[in-house]
Amino acid sequence: MAIECLVLGAGQQVGKSCVVVSMNGKRIMFDCGMDMAYHDHRRHPDFSRISEYGDFDKALTCIVITHFHLDHIGALPYFTEVCGYRGPIYMTYPTKALAPSMLEDYRKVMVERRGEEEQFTSEHIVECMKKVIAVDVKQTVQVDKDLMIRAYYAGHVLGAAMFYTKVGDSAIVYTGDYNMTPDRHLGAAQIDRLQLDLLITESTYATTIRDSKYGREAEFLKAVHKCVLGGGKVLIPTFALGRAQELCILLEDYWERMNLKIPIYFSSGLTMQANMYYKMLISWTSQKVKETYSTRNAFDFKHVLNFDRSMISAPGPCVLFATPGWISGGFSLEVFKQWAPSEMNLITLPGYCAAGTIGHKLMSGKPSKIDLDKDTQLDVRCQIHQLSFSPHTDAKGIMDLVKFLSPKHVILVHGEKPKMATLKGRIYSELGIRCDDPANNETVCIPSTHHVEVGASNTFIRSSLNPNFNFSKMSSEDESDSRLKDGKFMPWLQVKDERAAEGILVEEKGKRAKIVHLDEFLLMLGEKKHDIRFAYCFPINTDNLEDTKSTDVSSSSNALSVSGRSSWLPMLYIKLSDELSGGNIQYFGEQIQVESFSVSLCLKDRCPYRIVDSPPNKCEAVFFCCAWSIADEKLAWKIISILENRNYGTL
Amino acid sequence: MQTCLSKGGGFHFPPCHVLNVCGFRILFDCPLDLSALTIFSPVPTGYRAVVDEKDSDCQPYSTLDSDCVTWKRQKIGKPLDANDLICAVPWYKIVKYLHLWNVSFIDVVLISSPMGMLGLPFLTRIKGFSAKIYATEVTARLGQLMMEDLVSMHMEFRQFYGPEGSTFPRWMEEEELDLRPSALREVVLGKDGAELGGWMPLYSAADVKHCLQKVQTLRYAEEVCYNGKLVIKAFSSGLEIGTCNWSINGPKRDIAFISSSIFVPAHAMSFDYHALQGKDIVLYSDLSSLDTMEGIEDGYSFLTTDSFSTLSWEESAQSLLNTSEHLEEREKLYYLCSCAADSLKASGSVLIPINRLGTFIQLLEQISASLESSSLKVPIYVISSVAEELLAYTNVIPEWLCKERQEKLFSGEPLFAHVELIKDNKLHVFPTVHSPKLLINWQEPCIVFCPHWCLRLGPVVHLLHRWSGDPNSLLVLESGHDAQLALLPFQPMEMKVLQCSFLSGIKLPKILPLLNVLQPKITLLPEDLRQKVRFTNVNPFSVFHYSENKTLIIPSLKDSSELEIATDLAFQFQWRNLKHENMNITRLKGELHVAHGKHWLHSGNKPSKSNSSKSRPLLHWGTPDLETLLSILSKMGINASVEQGVGVEGSKKACIVHVHDPKKALIEIGDTGTVISAVDENLASLIFEAMDSILDGI
């Protein structure tokens, strides 16, 4: 079985995230975003690729949304209410709480701006959100018997999450957007070390290494401070939720520290009510902000006042948050018309503005005149500050995450094609992990993990967990440098814990397969063991042995120089130790043992295993009797050949 | 193995168990028996201090003359009066049998509720205690607040009596205890006299902090793995915000621990019993139905499975969720509110020393709403050292609340009404009775919520002294405790006292349907429920009854553990079919890992040496048949002749097969084994193959 990964959006581009993953019979859609650069069918993912006949309930097991940004959730109401998907949708509590307002803001802008035909209505948003099941971070959610999902904190915006998804033995992580460094109001992404077949990660900053967000936040604060000190007015166009609270918490903190008394206003579209969400969701913010809940909730803005239309032309400095965010109309446009002509004033712009909006025009270069409509032109003399602290991870963060999780496979989405290709190469060359960066509507197939489930007897488990120490003497040549002592090679004893699980897997008809220990197995069968062993009795020419003695005399200890029958076995031992590299050779006085192979002096006149014809009796031959079991067949014959001295001449 | 250390008593004193799972010792909950505090005299206030002084322990013992002793002796048989209470810095009573255990042998502590945490600092400060402690995030936080509050209320005693000596307090000495009335003595010593060792001087704020550092906090349904073997998860129990039941999955058995649970609570997330389905063992530890047993009519105090045996699974599940108990609780709160309104209308004040967070918050909402509707302008005070933080905290934990409260999050409203009440200046929160702000703000009549329900600690003592003589004022108490003893120091009581019981667990009639839904193989029930919940023989699960301080051996269900084999290893299998049995076998070798409550077998790092070629069986069994052997050998081109030998004892023949062609070899076939001896490797190997083919082997 394979994991099939169909990229419907954010393939080699930033915009409309949407990936459909099929694994072990389950099909999960991650994110359902919209591409705001398009106004035709291209703004939505091509849902027809999921199900030709539009039977999405059957085609998808569930939808998982990572966070409330429109490029991740924008197409959801359309998909559920217009396309008719009725299955479960999962997102975190903050995402569920904040998404409706984001979608509503977007819908309003779209409809108001050009009377554009609605893709979805307010009721659609409400109905869509009713299908959503909210989840907590780290909560293990059993979608059905086989499919499990779990959210991990991603830090990108309030409630952003990476999703771990497991079906059977296959597991993947889809990151959504994430941030690996903490900032003023959010913590850093956090995930467990998981066994993964696939990691699907964003790659917005695939090649950039960025400084921390603090620097850019400080720039913003400095720009605002400079403006109000000079008596200017600051207009911050935002939508009701998200950026407004994020920037406001920065300003509040700064106002406190600098002891500023200049008023901060929220326009009527940005009710204080909206802050209520943030107050209740404070446990999803950074550690520092979180700790303030009992004394004074950090989202209980102290310096913030409500703004009245009459105050637009009132004298004196102030900071104003006004909707909508892209200055596409409404109150922010009204204020913009009044304030833009003065160079004392400052207007901040978000990182993204939809094409065709005033915000978009301001972003492209620094125009001095802007056409409001075909009859009106506006002089823009105010300063413009573009907010650039989009909380995405940088290349180092992506590499860190990939390395930490060490998945079997990586797929990059949500990035620019050339940069993604560079990162892809790095992941493969530096981490040795296969990596893909599919384009939209492409499918990537990767193999999935499976395990075979069996029972295991207690004896088997116990014996496998018991340490199995293996003592081996390294032959001196291997580690010569440090073993030199008194001009002699000291044997080096090595102790290894070669814990190996060895057993027998039994498969009986109608029963579950089970692993048992060797000792249990025959008991289970009720059979008696029949031991097959090998034996071999052979003579060794004592002449040869004498030779051995003389060649080895320099390296053998004095005790061995005593001639006679008792010294032959020690001599064999020395010979074996020299010639048999590795192996655990043990000498027990009566016999030499190597694994199951044993050799001892044969004193019988007629040994049944003396198969070999006796050598011509030209000199006295000594007989040695060997025995071994099948496991050491090769080893045994090798030892015999050494002992029989067939290769002696080559020594 | 399971041992119940204490059956506890009521909501504030949950049961305590020790369970042995896969060789790990798990302690469930570590509560304090705070009801035992009633044997102490509260800190005297105002003129009463002078009265109490006469009999207080502050006087040196030696000044007690013999007359006084005999006077005291006479009191033993009489009903208790306020002077019988112990005038000393109170000690606190932990779970009965816990002090008999060596805590250093505990591996894991699972805390199900804030109440089950109050005794934990006593454990964590013991040298050698090294267990891993798990609790939900909210339980840990609420438990911490409760303990900090306890420590701060206790300070009042310390200030009054002076610092405690490190020695045994006088009231615990035997001769001193003999002088106490028997009812009091029983609280100190327990029925069997074994509980004296359970008394401890209270921990310090530093102990609490140290304890909290050792607690690993969890979200609901978060997986945590202990020692690779146990996968532990907490699931909501519905009793309070953050309280939980436990699911423990080990390689050999899966266990569900059910603490007091509420199916459809009005504030906390509901009892997630689906997550506990299909476990091998259910340890049923909700003893709340025992506390309320007396009030139950005969109608449903006896239950058998008969009525449920025909019930389908769905019907059982349905019957669990009926909302009657939910409505019943609402009725109680309405009644309470109307009683409070009556008192207020008569210019009396209302004192509510109820510490149960859920009840407190709901009552706050109800009362303020009913005040609103009856246009009574009366201030509500909450007095506690942790009240401000507690109220703020409840509003930032939407993930832990019931569906209805979560809907408030999604519509952007505060989770609980108290947020608005504080903003509108209808609710005032003060840390103590003598905070300057309170003194400025104070108005009577009023409604006061404050700790502590035992009526010995905290602001409630001061307010009771103040209002006990006012027949128009109202005291709301939770029933289930000895109100007579609790009110003893405040006699004569003119105040109205309303005792109210609140739902604190699974009701008796729901136990069987619940077990029916959970479908465990083994259920552990308290002995006390044996008569109340009867099972018929057709039960799909077996039932064991546990009682206090008796160890129960739970039979093993499986003789084998679960093991997962990696695919690459499984592909290397070389199956052999056994001749006589209907059985396939294969040898396997790999590395065994224990992770995530499962055994895993991987192929290991080293490539196994002989896997490329066909590996040969290493173990044989059966009896070789000579004729077959010879014919197989001859097929291989080996000529052999048989020499029948006779065994030493003559019992069984060992035969020897001689091989001459192509080379010399000898096969010695005995009863238990065969020895092959051949001139060279090839021949030996061929003979082995022949032997292998006539024997079963692996």
Side-chain angles (χ1 to χ4, degrees):
Chain A
M1 286 273 254
I3 299 176
E4 260 179 38
C5 189
L6 168 64
V7 177
L8 287 183
Q12 300 176 356
Q13 52 144 224
V14 181
K16 61 162 181 189
S17 284
C18 186
V19 176
V20 177
V21 177
S22 315
M23 50 201 279
N24 294 346
K26 303 287 166 188
R27 206 140 176 243
I28 306 120
M29 179 192 280
F30 292 96
D31 283 338
C32 190
M34 103 142 41
D35 196 332
M36 284 170 293
Y38 294 102
H39 297 112
D40 52 15
H41 70 276
R42 282 174 297 176
R43 71 181 147 207
H44 291 147
D46 184 0
F47 295 126
S48 67
R49 285 172 191 269
I50 300 170
S51 166
E52 226 179 306
Y53 306 106
D55 189 3
F56 297 116
D57 289 349
K58 235 179 229 159
L60 289 178
T61 318
C62 69
I63 297 181
V64 170
I65 303 288
T66 57
H67 62 283
F68 63 70
H69 279 163
L70 290 173
D71 59 335
H72 292 261
I73 199 175
L76 187 66
Y78 175 79
F79 187 53
T80 62
E81 304 312 309
V82 181
C83 301
Y85 170 76
R86 281 182 302 274
I89 304 161
Y90 293 88
M91 53 179 85
T92 62
Y93 282 93
T95 308
K96 181 173 178 186
L98 303 181
S101 136
M102 288 299 277
L103 291 166
E104 182 60 26
D105 275 345
Y106 172 73
R107 192 194 63 83
K108 265 194 221 148
V109 170
M110 285 303 150
V111 175
E112 277 169 18
R113 200 180 67 209
R114 331 180 261 165
E116 191 182 305
E117 194 195 330
E118 284 187 322
Q119 306 151 55
F120 49 81
T121 63
S122 297
E123 290 72 51
H124 283 157
I125 300 174
V126 173
E127 284 306 308
C128 166
M129 294 315 287
K130 278 186 188 161
K131 302 188 174 96
V132 173
I133 301 164
V135 300
D136 201 353
V137 282
K138 294 205 173 164
Q139 182 190 345
T140 306
V141 181
Q142 213 68 47
V143 175
D144 58 30
K145 205 171 107 296
D146 306 308
L147 172 61
M148 183 267 267
I149 61 169
R150 189 189 297 155
Y152 284 97
Y153 193 79
H156 172 69
V157 287
L158 196 78
M162 313 191 206
F163 275 88
Y164 171 65
T165 310
K166 189 167 188 250
V167 185
D169 297 317
S170 311
I172 71 162
V173 162
Y174 176 84
T175 65
D177 295 352
Y178 62 103
N179 189 6
M180 294 291 276
T181 48
D183 64 36
R184 265 177 232 262
H185 94 295
L186 293 171
Q190 219 182 355
I191 194 162
D192 294 330
R193 213 177 273 274
L194 301 158
Q195 292 269 340
L196 296 181
D197 293 299
L198 171 65
L199 172 70
I200 305 172
T201 175
E202 68 134 319
S203 49
T204 318
Y205 293 101
T207 53
T208 348
I209 302 288
R210 297 174 320 138
D211 50 341
S212 82
K213 234 179 93 173
Y214 287 96
R216 272 157 295 128
E217 284 172 356
E219 263 171 46
F220 162 73
L221 291 168
K222 231 165 68 189
V224 171
H225 195 182
K226 211 178 111 198
C227 173
V228 292
L229 273 188
K233 294 175 176 1
V234 182
L235 171 64
I236 307 178
T238 60
F239 289 110
L241 278 172
R243 193 44 77 81
Q245 284 73 20
E246 193 185 331
L247 293 178
C248 201
I249 215 170
L250 278 179
L251 288 175
E252 276 267 327
D253 183 49
Y254 191 74
W255 254 230
E256 202 99 309
R257 278 187 290 132
M258 308 304 279
N259 199 21
L260 293 178
K261 296 279 179 266
I262 291 141
I264 301 173
Y265 293 111
F266 267 29
S267 78
S268 49
L270 278 160
T271 51
M272 298 296 197
Q273 189 69 34
N275 296 340
M276 194 49 106
Y277 287 108
Y278 271 76
K279 275 198 248 174
M280 288 187 281
L281 295 166
I282 197 164
S283 65
W284 293 75
T285 57
S286 72
Q287 199 59 38
K288 204 184 135 214
V289 175
K290 218 190 298 194
E291 280 158 6
T292 64
Y293 80 85
S294 62
T295 46
R296 187 176 69 87
N297 196 307
F299 293 101
D300 245 338
F301 299 124
K302 220 167 46 182
H303 297 92
V304 175
L305 306 163
N306 275 322
F307 193 75
D308 189 80
R309 191 163 303 240
S310 63
M311 294 153 104
I312 296 180
S313 42
C318 69
V319 177
L320 171 67
F321 286 85
T323 52
W326 301 329
I327 328 184
S328 53
F331 196 65
S332 62
L333 181 63
E334 201 179 324
V335 178
F336 175 74
K337 283 189 220 162
Q338 301 281 327
W339 292 3
S342 164
E343 53 263 295
M344 271 161 76
N345 295 341
L346 172 74
I347 287 168
T348 66
L349 289 175
Y352 176 82
C353 285
T357 60
I358 304 273
H360 188 78
K361 287 178 196 157
L362 290 173
M363 275 167 74
S364 37
K366 199 174 183 299
S368 52
K369 283 196 195 316
I370 278 193
D371 300 321
L372 292 178
D373 50 57
K374 56 181 186 295
D375 302 322
T376 344
Q377 227 184 22
L378 185 71
D379 284 327
V380 180
R381 294 203 201 89
C382 66
Q383 305 148 59
I384 289 164
H385 182 91
Q386 188 158 0
L387 301 170
S388 58
F389 35 95
S390 108
H392 288 273
T393 179
D394 62 2
K396 186 180 175 298
I398 299 171
M399 289 300 282
D400 285 348
L401 184 78
V402 174
K403 197 172 165 191
F404 176 78
L405 289 173
S406 291
K408 296 202 181 105
H409 205 110
V410 175
I411 288 179
L412 300 177
V413 292
H414 203 280
E416 292 157 52
K417 193 179 174 185
K419 292 180 182 170
M420 286 165 98
T422 315
L423 182 66
K424 181 173 125 177
R426 270 189 75 195
I427 289 173
Y428 186 72
S429 62
E430 287 175 33
L431 304 173
I433 297 171
R434 266 194 58 200
C435 184
D436 281 293
D437 56 343
N440 278 349
N441 301 330
E442 276 181 14
T443 301
V444 178
C445 279
I446 65 148
S448 61
T449 308
H450 286 281
H451 283 103
V452 183
E453 199 176 297
V454 298
S457 79
N458 295 340
T459 320
F460 170 74
I461 299 278
R462 226 176 297 128
S463 78
S464 311
L465 292 174
N466 279 344
N468 172 27
F469 293 117
N470 189 341
F471 301 89
S472 59
K473 283 178 187 145
M474 289 297 292
S475 66
S476 39
E477 298 101 71
D478 294 346
E479 310 235 328
S480 51
D481 39 5
S482 56
R483 303 294 137 243
L484 259 177
K485 200 181 170 191
D486 302 333
K488 225 178 122 185
F489 288 111
M490 296 296 288
W492 175 244
L493 184 69
Q494 271 206 333
V495 185
K496 272 193 243 160
D497 183 6
E498 290 190 344
R499 223 174 279 205
E502 270 187 271
I504 293 172
L505 181 60
V506 184
E507 203 183 54
E508 234 175 310
K509 277 232 174 79
K511 280 192 193 169
R512 207 161 78 111
K514 183 177 173 181
I515 305 176
V516 294
H517 191 258
L518 273 177
D519 298 345
E520 286 174 294
F521 178 65
L522 289 178
L523 225 67
M524 196 177 113
L525 286 182
E527 292 274 2
K528 268 207 312 206
K529 184 177 174 181
H530 189 93
D531 201 14
I532 303 180
R533 285 181 69 80
F534 296 88
Y536 190 69
C537 188
F538 65 100
I540 291 180
N541 203 323
T542 38
D543 285 349
N544 287 346
L545 274 180
E546 291 302 325
D547 285 352
T548 315
K549 220 161 87 183
S550 60
T551 51
D552 284 343
V553 82
S554 57
S555 62
S556 55
S557 65
N558 293 338
L560 291 180
S561 61
V562 182
S563 198
R565 283 184 157 236
S566 61
S567 68
W568 290 326
L569 217 47
M571 272 185 280
L572 285 190
Y573 175 63
I574 291 161
K575 192 174 165 69
L576 269 182
S577 303
D578 279 353
E579 296 188 28
L580 198 68
S581 61
N584 186 14
I585 308 166
Q586 284 167 298
Y587 175 48
F588 294 114
E590 292 291 307
Q591 61 173 2
I592 297 167
Q593 183 107 31
V594 188
E595 309 295 344
S596 75
F597 178 90
S598 67
V599 55
S600 56
L601 209 58
C602 185
L603 302 174
K604 291 178 203 155
D605 288 335
R606 269 177 52 89
C607 179
Y609 311 129
R610 208 168 286 165
I611 304 292
V612 195
D613 298 320
S614 298
N617 218 0
K618 67 177 179 186
C619 55
E620 196 187 348
V622 181
F623 286 90
F624 290 90
C625 218
C626 322
W628 66 92
S629 61
I630 182 74
D632 299 305
E633 191 188 17
K634 289 266 179 307
L635 177 77
W637 288 107
K638 190 174 165 197
I639 294 172
I640 290 169
S641 80
I642 291 170
L643 296 183
E644 280 187 330
N645 225 350
R646 284 171 194 161
N647 304 326
Y648 188 67
T650 61
L651 239 175
Chain B
M1 281 202 306
Q2 180 264 358
T3 313
C4 174
L5 295 183
S6 147
K7 290 187 297 182
F11 175 87
H12 298 282
F13 187 37
C16 180
H17 304 265
V18 172
L19 191 67
N20 227 329
V21 187
C22 294
F24 300 112
R25 203 165 280 171
I26 303 176
L27 173 69
F28 289 94
D29 288 326
C30 185
L32 281 184
D33 183 5
L34 289 172
S35 67
L37 276 182
T38 43
I39 64 164
F40 292 94
S41 182
V43 172
T45 54
Y47 71 97
R48 277 169 185 268
V50 190
V51 182
D52 288 348
E53 204 74 29
K54 280 194 213 148
D55 194 40
S56 96
D57 261 15
C58 297
Q59 288 181 354
Y61 188 71
S62 55
T63 64
L64 282 173
D65 52 38
S66 53
D67 283 350
C68 193
V69 173
T70 45
W71 173 73
K72 272 196 167 184
R73 274 197 196 286
Q74 286 166 348
K75 293 199 323 185
I76 294 173
K78 288 184 186 168
L80 288 167
D81 70 52
N83 293 327
D84 292 323
L85 299 178
I86 298 165
C87 292
V89 175
W91 277 32
Y92 293 78
K93 205 173 161 191
I94 59 159
V95 168
K96 249 186 253 187
Y97 296 106
L98 190 60
H99 64 277
L100 302 177
W101 286 67
N102 185 345
V103 294
S104 55
F105 291 146
I106 296 171
D107 299 293
V108 180
V109 181
L110 300 180
I111 301 292
S112 318
S113 65
M115 295 71 77
M117 195 177 179
L118 297 185
L120 199 57
F122 288 126
L123 282 190
T124 51
R125 72 178 181 186
I126 294 174
K127 240 193 185 144
F129 175 84
S130 58
K132 190 99 191 165
I133 307 165
Y134 298 103
T136 65
E137 233 172 81
V138 175
T139 290
R141 188 86 191 97
L142 294 178
Q144 184 188 7
L145 291 176
M146 282 171 80
M147 290 189 281
E148 283 171 359
D149 199 27
L150 196 62
V151 170
S152 94
M153 289 188 290
H154 182 78
M155 275 304 283
E156 214 176 344
F157 280 99
R158 306 265 308 265
Q159 280 160 0
F160 183 76
Y161 291 107
E164 292 163 87
S166 54
T167 51
F168 217 53
R170 174 124 32 85
W171 59 267
M172 281 175 89
E173 286 166 18
E174 210 179 319
E175 55 267 35
E176 184 71 1
L177 279 174
D178 284 345
L179 296 176
R180 300 282 172 190
S182 55
L184 234 149
R185 218 167 43 227
E186 198 184 299
V187 176
V188 178
L189 298 171
K191 284 203 177 75
D192 48 359
E195 294 174 25
L196 193 64
W199 288 89
M200 303 262 188
L202 189 64
Y203 37 75
S204 65
D207 288 331
V208 175
K209 205 175 157 202
H210 173 72
C211 167
L212 261 296
Q213 279 166 351
K214 290 197 170 178
V215 177
Q216 183 174 341
T217 60
L218 302 173
R219 305 275 184 139
Y220 281 145
E222 176 176 348
E223 260 182 26
V224 70
C225 191
Y226 176 78
N227 210 339
K229 279 199 175 164
L230 302 181
V231 177
I232 299 171
K233 276 187 269 187
F235 292 103
S236 62
S237 68
L239 180 66
E240 264 298 348
I241 306 175
T243 58
C244 66
N245 296 320
W246 296 96
S247 129
I248 303 157
N249 289 24
K252 290 194 74 176
R253 52 175 63 164
D254 299 343
I255 296 162
F257 174 82
I258 300 181
S259 62
S260 295
S261 303
I262 297 180
F263 288 97
V264 195
H267 62 306
M269 185 178 275
S270 56
F271 176 20
D272 185 359
Y273 56 89
H274 290 292
L276 306 175
Q277 257 167 313
K279 302 280 177 194
D280 301 321
I281 298 168
V282 163
L283 172 48
Y284 187 83
S285 176
D286 183 342
L287 305 185
S288 60
S289 49
L290 296 176
D291 300 323
T292 52
M293 210 62 88
E294 302 89 48
I296 287 170
E297 314 90 273
D298 287 345
Y300 56 91
S301 60
F302 288 94
L303 271 163
T304 63
T305 37
D306 293 339
S307 49
F308 291 104
S309 52
T310 51
L311 236 63
S312 73
W313 190 90
E314 285 80 12
E315 283 168 315
S316 290
Q318 206 54 51
S319 71
L320 293 176
L321 294 173
N322 67 41
T323 50
S324 66
E325 57 183 36
H326 185 60
L327 293 172
E328 212 174 289
E329 291 303 296
R330 288 201 81 82
E331 287 296 310
K332 276 183 209 164
L333 292 183
Y334 280 131
Y335 179 66
L336 248 165
C337 288
S338 71
C339 289
D342 291 345
S343 282
L344 292 168
K345 278 176 192 155
S347 305
S349 291
V350 182
L351 181 57
I352 311 176
I354 287 177
N355 292 59
R356 297 173 65 151
L357 181 61
T359 313
F360 160 54
I361 293 181
Q362 287 174 66
L363 212 46
L364 207 55
E365 287 181 339
Q366 287 285 353
I367 285 186
S368 61
S370 78
L371 289 184
E372 196 83 3
S373 63
S374 59
S375 60
L376 269 167
K377 290 246 182 304
V378 173
I380 306 173
Y381 300 106
V382 179
I383 310 171
S384 140
S385 62
V386 295
E388 192 187 357
E389 192 160 359
L390 190 66
L391 289 175
Y393 186 61
T394 52
N395 212 44
V396 298
I397 44 173
E399 303 88 352
W400 303 81
L401 303 180
C402 64
K403 282 265 168 313
E404 294 74 32
R405 302 276 173 186
Q406 287 186 356
E407 278 312 314
K408 288 185 184 254
L409 163 75
F410 299 131
S411 54
E413 294 166 49
L415 303 170
F416 292 102
H418 56 73
V419 178
E420 297 294 321
L421 292 175
I422 293 172
K423 207 187 260 170
D424 300 344
N425 254 330
K426 287 177 183 158
L427 175 66
H428 309 271
V429 183
F430 302 109
T432 59
V433 272
H434 36 262
S435 11
K437 273 192 189 159
L438 179 139
L439 297 175
I440 296 165
N441 221 301
W442 190 257
Q443 269 180 46
E444 281 185 37
C446 59
I447 301 167
V448 179
F449 290 89
C450 66
H452 186 272
W453 56 267
C454 70
L455 308 188
R456 293 296 180 270
L457 288 165
V460 68
V461 175
H462 300 262
L463 294 168
L464 263 179
H465 278 310
R466 185 182 175 86
W467 290 330
S468 62
D470 177 9
N472 287 327
S473 289
L474 175 71
L475 172 69
V476 181
L477 283 183
E478 201 180 323
S479 59
H481 304 291
D482 187 348
Q484 211 63 40
L485 184 58
L487 290 169
L488 200 58
F490 309 101
Q491 296 296 358
M493 274 288 283
E494 301 283 329
M495 231 176 149
K496 273 178 279 181
V497 180
L498 177 63
Q499 267 194 298
C500 196
S501 75
F502 301 101
L503 185 64
S504 348
I506 301 167
K507 288 198 166 177
L508 203 53
K510 289 197 175 178
I511 298 177
L512 277 174
L514 174 66
L515 292 175
N516 213 359
V517 169
L518 295 185
Q519 298 282 340
K521 296 192 184 80
I522 293 176
T523 304
L524 308 181
L525 279 179
E527 179 63 41
D528 314 61
L529 283 178
R530 190 194 282 272
Q531 296 304 315
K532 311 288 191 291
V533 184
R534 283 195 201 142
F535 297 90
T536 52
N537 293 333
V538 293
N539 271 320
F541 47 85
S542 44
V543 179
F544 291 81
H545 290 94
Y546 61 82
S547 38
E548 252 173 37
N549 207 25
K550 286 210 180 83
T551 299
L552 203 66
I553 311 278
I554 309 161
S556 180
L557 294 169
K558 297 178 204 160
D559 58 337
S560 64
S561 307
E562 301 285 310
L563 191 140
E564 309 257 322
I565 304 173
T567 336
D568 55 338
L569 185 66
F571 277 132
Q572 294 170 6
F573 288 159
Q574 292 169 359
W575 291 99
R576 274 173 86 93
N577 191 269
L578 284 200
K579 292 184 181 68
H580 308 299
E581 325 260 345
N582 237 337
M583 203 186 260
N584 284 317
I585 54 173
T586 175
R587 211 164 247 288
L588 94 178
K589 183 174 182 177
E591 266 177 40
L592 188 73
H593 297 270
V594 186
H596 225 78
K598 271 185 183 162
H599 294 289
W600 306 85
L601 201 63
H602 296 285
S603 50
N605 299 327
K606 292 169 287 182
S608 36
K609 35 193 170 176
S610 56
N611 264 323
S612 48
S613 67
K614 192 181 184 304
S615 66
R616 301 174 110 166
L618 302 175
L619 177 75
H620 291 92
W621 61 93
T623 324
D625 180 56
L626 271 182
E627 293 301 314
T628 333
L629 176 66
L630 288 180
S631 75
I632 287 176
L633 282 177
S634 70
K635 264 184 211 152
M636 290 172 162
I638 300 168
N639 290 320
S641 60
V642 180
E643 172 197 321
Q644 290 283 2
V646 179
V648 191
E649 312 270 298
S651 55
K652 185 90 185 181
K653 291 166 229 167
C655 47
I656 292 172
V657 180
H658 291 283
V659 176
H660 303 283
D661 191 36
K663 283 177 181 165
K664 252 176 95 176
L666 171 136
I667 311 166
E668 189 183 64
I669 301 170
D671 191 16
T672 58
T674 297
V675 180
I676 301 167
S677 185
V679 202
D680 68 2
E681 193 177 341
N682 273 341
L683 185 59
S685 175
L686 278 175
I687 296 171
F688 178 83
E689 262 170 49
M691 283 303 294
D692 181 39
S693 64
I694 62 165
L695 285 167
D696 269 323
I698 182 74

